[in-house]
Amino acid sequence: MSKFFAEVKQQPEAIRATVRNNADSKFPAGKPLLLTGMGSSLAASELLVSYLNGQGIPALAVDNSELLYYGSESFIASHRLVIVSQSGESYEAKKLAERYPDALAITNSPEGSLAKLASEALLTHAGKEEAIASSKSFTTTAALMLQLGARMAGNDLTGSLLAAADVIEAQLEQEASYRALIRAFLDPLKPMVLLGRGPSVYTARQGSLTLKETARIFAEAASAPQFRHGPFELIKENLQAVFFNPKGSTYEINRSYVTEMADLGAKVLYVSDEPLAHERVESIVIPSVDEYVSPIVYSLVVQLAAVELSTVRGLVAGEAQIITKVTGKE
């Protein structure tokens, strides 16, 4: 078993530990949040921003490097800066923390540089993650930030987050059948697009990153409506897609969209609460709990795809020849 797959299986307990150990944690009040990260940390940050904006709370997410070199002092000073880094050792994250020592950190590494440089560190409890591709560090970071964001909005997502851990645990019992379905349906030698709306856009973004890092697949992530504005023409090139559709405000729109894609010739792996019957659609049915928590659950499908499609290509998911776990240079 690869390190990546082992870490995928550790997610339920890591999510529970993160939620329980942050029962009293909170974001500081006052200035609007400006979250910054790279890779999986940025995807989790964007998910939180989407949640907060939907609750009427202003917040932004910007990648580390853009903020480091193009963010004005006055702009950053008008926000509460939150630097997100699983390792706490990423080059740009450390540079930002050195420049802005009043920043808040979200990290999995209490002894890492970021935690020591920041004014305060809020910790995930993923345990050590060694594989190049993020699994439990993404899902625990997303869980922590949703937990804190809900608290800001006067809501409580604790039950939904713990339910997500239970769903992942239950679905892992079917991992062999899911991997077989994925192997039969998706071609790792062809490009693919990952699509969703609302919170599922960030499932897609994290998923595309995971597939690139593991199976070396050219995978593009997009919101479904943006994909219609031009890239929809790619359907004529025997497009393969993964579409995430948890129960939510655009659920029926998405079902119609997937049917239209399939009618036009696309092959779609459809991840939702209910199957969609079409000869060019293969459904994976997974309960999604709260729509904003669904990226934590639905990421499991891409993680299993990463394991299986890496195997098909003769690769070991989570091992790399060029990149390293911690990006120590710009």
Side-chain angles (χ1 to χ4, degrees):
M1 182 186 298
S2 69
K3 289 180 181 178
F4 176 75
F5 195 17
E7 289 164 358
V8 165
K9 293 189 171 189
Q10 292 164 11
Q11 287 178 114
E13 193 47 48
I15 292 167
R16 294 182 189 116
T18 296
V19 171
R20 289 167 180 159
N21 281 284
N22 284 283
D24 299 318
S25 300
K26 60 180 66 175
F27 284 127
K31 298 177 182 178
L33 298 180
L34 173 58
L35 296 118
T36 183
M38 299 294 271
S40 297
S41 295
L42 182 60
S45 298
E46 291 172 329
L47 174 62
L48 173 60
V49 167
S50 178
Y51 175 82
L52 291 174
N53 290 171
Q55 296 292 316
I57 299 172
L60 293 168
V62 180
D63 86 42
N64 286 169
S65 185
E66 292 301 307
L67 202 60
L68 182 62
Y69 291 108
Y70 296 100
S72 72
E73 297 289 336
S74 60
F75 171 75
I76 294 173
S78 66
H79 294 81
R80 178 57 162 157
L81 182 62
V82 182
I83 304 171
V84 187
S85 172
Q86 180 266 333
S87 67
E89 302 297 340
S90 296
Y91 177 86
E92 295 94 343
K94 290 194 294 182
K95 287 295 183 183
L96 280 169
E98 289 170 359
R99 186 179 297 178
Y100 302 103
D102 61 341
L104 176 71
I106 292 181
T107 182
N108 187 49
S109 305
E111 301 303 318
S113 297
L114 179 59
K116 293 175 181 177
L117 289 165
S119 63
E120 181 185 357
L122 297 173
L123 302 174
T124 60
H125 291 263
K128 188 174 183 180
E129 187 176 71
E130 298 182 83
I132 293 295
S134 169
S135 56
K136 60 180 180 173
S137 65
F138 168 73
T139 52
T140 56
T141 300
L144 173 57
M145 294 211 285
L146 286 171
Q147 183 180 21
L148 301 180
R151 202 162 286 152
M152 284 182 74
N155 300 324
D156 187 358
L157 284 176
T158 301
S160 292
L161 293 167
L162 293 175
D166 294 342
V167 171
I168 293 171
E169 193 166 64
Q171 295 302 312
L172 278 167
E173 296 178 2
Q174 303 178 56
E175 55 92 3
S177 61
Y178 288 151
R179 289 173 60 186
L181 182 154
I182 289 164
R183 176 188 282 257
F185 192 71
L186 294 177
D187 184 347
L189 299 180
K190 289 179 57 179
M192 69 177 69
V193 63
L194 289 79
L195 301 171
R197 293 181 197 248
S200 291
V201 171
Y202 310 107
T203 317
R205 289 185 186 170
Q206 171 62 17
S208 70
L209 176 61
T210 300
L211 291 173
K212 291 168 189 171
E213 290 177 315
T214 55
R216 300 179 191 162
I217 295 172
F218 186 85
E220 180 181 358
S223 70
Q226 284 287 356
F227 189 73
R228 188 184 287 280
H229 285 254
F232 209 67
E233 187 68 15
L234 288 169
I235 290 174
K236 301 306 292 182
E237 298 296 325
N238 298 314
L239 180 76
Q240 59 178 357
V242 182
F243 200 110
F244 305 98
N245 188 28
K247 285 287 180 66
S249 57
T250 57
Y251 182 74
E252 293 300 334
I253 296 172
N254 291 339
R255 285 181 65 88
S256 296
Y257 188 105
V258 172
T259 299
E260 181 185 0
M261 288 181 68
D263 286 343
L264 289 169
K267 184 168 69 170
V268 185
L269 180 63
Y270 179 69
V271 186
S272 189
D273 300 72
E274 299 173 336
L276 195 158
H278 193 288
E279 63 180 359
R280 296 186 63 83
V281 175
E282 189 70 69
S283 298
I284 291 183
V285 178
I286 298 181
S288 61
V289 291
D290 182 278
E291 185 178 9
Y292 274 93
V293 178
S294 69
I296 294 172
V297 174
Y298 282 8
S299 289
L300 176 65
V301 173
V302 182
Q303 293 163 0
L304 295 177
V307 172
E308 192 61 27
L309 298 180
S310 292
T311 302
V312 172
R313 296 205 62 195
L315 304 171
V316 178
E319 294 184 6
Q321 294 181 359
I322 299 175
I323 61 174
T324 56
K325 181 64 176 174
V326 177
T327 303
K329 62 185 295 185
E330 28 183 6

